[in-house]
Amino acid sequence: MSGLRILGVDPGLRITGFGVIEKIGQRLGYLASGCIRTDPRASLPERLGTIHAGLCQLVAEHRPQQAAVEIVFVNVNPQSTLRLGQARGAAIVALVANGLVVAEYTALQVKQAVVGNGHAEKTQVQHMVRRLLALPADPSPDAADALACAIAHAHGGQGLTGIGRVAPRLGQGRLPLRNKIGI
Amino acid sequence: MSGLRILGVDPGLRITGFGVIEKIGQRLGYLASGCIRTDPRASLPERLGTIHAGLCQLVAEHRPQQAAVEIVFVNVNPQSTLRLGQARGAAIVALVANGLVVAEYTALQVKQAVVGNGHAEKTQVQHMVRRLLALPADPSPDAADALACAIAHAHGGQGLTGIGRVAPRLGQGRLPLRNKIGI
């Protein structure tokens, strides 16, 4: 029996965390996680290209059917907000252009679904991600956030604890163009 | 004799302007311009997907060798900055992933190169774009900004008036093929 593969992404211009999980019935399995790092000395287009190419490669490798991305909040520093926005745009289109449905969740929704507390600490998220996916060790913070987002999506609508009801905002990709130009 | 095709892009979540010009020797020719509009009722991933798909289609159709995008400044409204950043990220990776070299110019550089005055009015930019490309009418403001960005890139290094020296920040795409095409 084949499960539902979900790719969680935590975009950032410097580090983009990712995690792939599989949902079979009500069980969750871990498939992969890690980070895409960009070279700070490279140009902005190059860095965005690295994020995009990395995610395209992940999709090709793990063939997820759905994707979940955290909704970011604006930073106090407007330049950081712009940088984060650009990284997020580059990441989301890598998913959409590959035909993935992209759901967005707030950090509050993710924490509520994974820890049962929307204001949980980062270390609690890491700990619960480890427990829920039966990992041998805590994942890195970036990978943990991405995995947590995928878990929130897997439990979408119910939340893990019954408190964290998550209402995803779904976006459907436009498939046909990809075939015409062969990205 | 084949010229250098340049795609200028003015990204925005609602409207993304574009313009394609060709440089043959020191002459500039107009090839295409217009806008990619996104549905405000669609989800963010869908809207970003529309921008990305639209630009991929343009690249496939007009086969530009280089691209120029205006450097945006942060908005007073942080949410607008985030939206613009996401649109910009989606647009830039559409170019980079298709092997295009992407240069970035500030609005000041673009106006100086096209009008000879970094603080020129929008209508002056439209007027000069029309004159320089021998268009039958003023282009729409969005298309004019994109065409102006392409013109600034075509005159890169000298500026049109000798005042507007532009120093492009080049970003190399993953596919170095296009780079080998000489000017």
Side-chain angles (χ1 to χ4, degrees), chain A:
Chain A
M1 175 185 164
S2 175
L4 174 70
R5 289 192 176 194
I6 302 165
L7 168 61
V9 181
D10 180 26
L13 186 58
R14 204 166 59 84
I15 300 174
T16 292
F18 67 85
V20 190
I21 64 170
E22 190 164 32
K23 186 184 184 184
I24 303 176
Q26 286 309 304
R27 283 181 47 229
L28 294 183
Y30 170 89
L31 289 177
S33 67
C35 294
I36 300 165
R37 284 169 197 277
T38 66
D39 182 353
R41 292 160 305 178
S43 71
L44 176 80
E46 271 180 311
R47 298 178 78 179
L48 296 177
T50 301
I51 295 168
H52 183 265
L55 286 174
C56 285
Q57 202 173 322
L58 272 169
V59 171
E61 199 173 320
H62 297 288
R63 305 239 158 251
Q65 288 103 27
Q66 296 184 8
V69 182
E70 210 169 284
I71 294 175
V72 291
F73 288 97
V74 293
N75 201 292
V76 279
N77 178 342
Q79 280 297 342
S80 303
T81 302
L82 186 66
R83 269 197 297 275
L84 180 57
Q86 292 174 136
R88 203 167 186 268
I92 288 175
V93 295
L95 310 173
V96 171
N98 280 299
L100 284 171
V101 171
V102 179
E104 299 183 276
Y105 299 93
T106 63
L108 193 122
Q109 287 175 312
V110 170
K111 286 177 177 178
Q112 215 155 38
V114 174
V115 184
N117 170 7
H119 302 282
E121 296 288 326
K122 240 179 164 38
T123 51
Q124 275 181 282
V125 174
Q126 283 173 273
H127 177 75
M128 281 305 292
V129 165
R130 176 185 176 177
R131 266 191 59 186
L132 289 166
L133 299 175
L135 301 176
D138 280 3
S140 74
D142 295 291
D145 282 352
L147 286 166
C149 203
I151 292 169
H153 184 67
H155 291 277
Q158 294 131 24
L160 197 70
T161 62
I163 311 167
R165 296 188 76 84
V166 281
R169 295 190 344 209
L170 290 176
Q172 177 57 57
R174 271 175 50 173
L175 256 177
L177 206 91
R178 192 180 134 229
N179 300 331
K180 282 190 209 136
I181 51 168
I183 299 175

Side-chain angles (χ1 to χ4, degrees), chain B residues 48 54 59 89 117 125 132 156 164 170 173:
Chain B
L48 297 178
V59 171
N117 170 7
V125 173
L132 289 165
L170 290 175

